[in-house]
């Protein structure tokens, strides 16, 4: 994927997430979508016992520390009135805090880091954190 293709891909990811927002601890479809996008990049998903949220590692080709990069993935109980063509399709739920962008940005970072995987010293742990808005998601 070249720079222009990545940009187009990330815009479509962000708009998809914006149209299908999910509240804290209900990010089931969001988590499935994130897993799909990571699998497309050949990034292995870490198993967890959480209901929602996704964790994945980009293991570098050289030894080194684990560095985490985090994005929150949940939306807010707000009715969208933006009139945008990719407005929320879910009544009373909206990505009004930018977590759709955060999630797309982390997929973008993952895509770029995965390309440099063999050169990385250590591991980059991707944390797609559930339930930031309601609290408690980071602790889980
Ligand atoms: Zn937020």
């Amino acid at each position: 994927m070249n720079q222009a293709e990545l940009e187009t891909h990330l815009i479509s990811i962000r708009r998809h997430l914006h149209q299908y927002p999910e509240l804290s601890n209900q990010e089931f479809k969001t988590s499935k979508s994130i897993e799909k996008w990571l699998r497309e990049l050949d990034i292995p998903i870490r198993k967890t016992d959480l209901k929602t949220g996704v964790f994945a590692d980009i293991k570098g080709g050289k030894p080194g520390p684990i560095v985490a990069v985090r994005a929150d993935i949940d939306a807010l109980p707000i009715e969208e009135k933006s009139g945008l063509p990719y407005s929320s399709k879910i009544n009373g739920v909206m990505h009004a805090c930018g977590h759709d962008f955060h999630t797309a940005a982390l997929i973008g970072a993952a895509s770029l880091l995965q390309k440099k995987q063999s050169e990385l010293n250590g591991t980059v742990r991707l944390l797609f954190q559930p339930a930031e808005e309601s609290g408690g998601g980071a602790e889980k």
Side-chain angles (χ1 to χ4, degrees):
M1 203 180 317
N2 67 32
Q3 188 81 25
E5 289 165 343
L6 178 61
E7 183 178 331
T8 302
H9 183 54
L10 294 177
I11 289 170
S12 94
I13 285 175
R14 189 262 164 159
R15 291 184 177 175
H16 175 86
L17 292 167
H18 195 84
Q19 288 179 84
Y20 301 100
E22 295 176 301
L23 295 172
S24 299
N25 292 313
Q26 297 172 33
E27 310 94 333
F28 297 105
K29 289 178 182 164
T30 301
S31 296
K32 287 284 168 231
S33 293
I34 292 166
E35 287 179 7
K36 183 189 77 151
W37 293 319
L38 291 174
R39 275 198 303 272
E40 287 170 1
L41 296 170
D42 291 322
I43 296 173
I45 313 292
R46 286 177 65 87
K47 282 213 176 293
T48 75
D49 54 3
L50 298 180
K51 290 184 304 170
T52 59
V54 180
F55 308 97
D57 283 349
I58 300 172
K59 224 171 167 30
K62 303 169 193 167
I66 297 174
V67 176
V69 188
R70 168 192 160 275
D72 29 26
I73 65 172
D74 53 329
L76 288 161
I78 292 174
E79 182 72 30
E80 179 160 11
K81 294 175 181 163
S82 70
L84 288 167
Y86 52 89
S87 286
S88 174
K89 294 181 187 297
I90 311 299
N91 285 338
V93 185
M94 177 187 180
H95 271 294
C97 189
H99 298 188
D100 50 346
F101 172 77
H102 299 169
T103 302
L106 187 48
I107 299 279
S111 173
L112 296 172
L113 288 163
Q114 178 70 348
K115 277 190 200 162
K116 303 255 182 196
Q117 182 259 338
S118 64
E119 302 168 42
L120 296 178
N121 295 298
T123 296
V124 179
R125 181 154 296 164
L126 309 169
L127 306 177
F128 293 89
Q129 183 208 308
E132 188 273 333
E133 300 296 358
S134 68
E139 273 180 61
K140 286 184 193 170

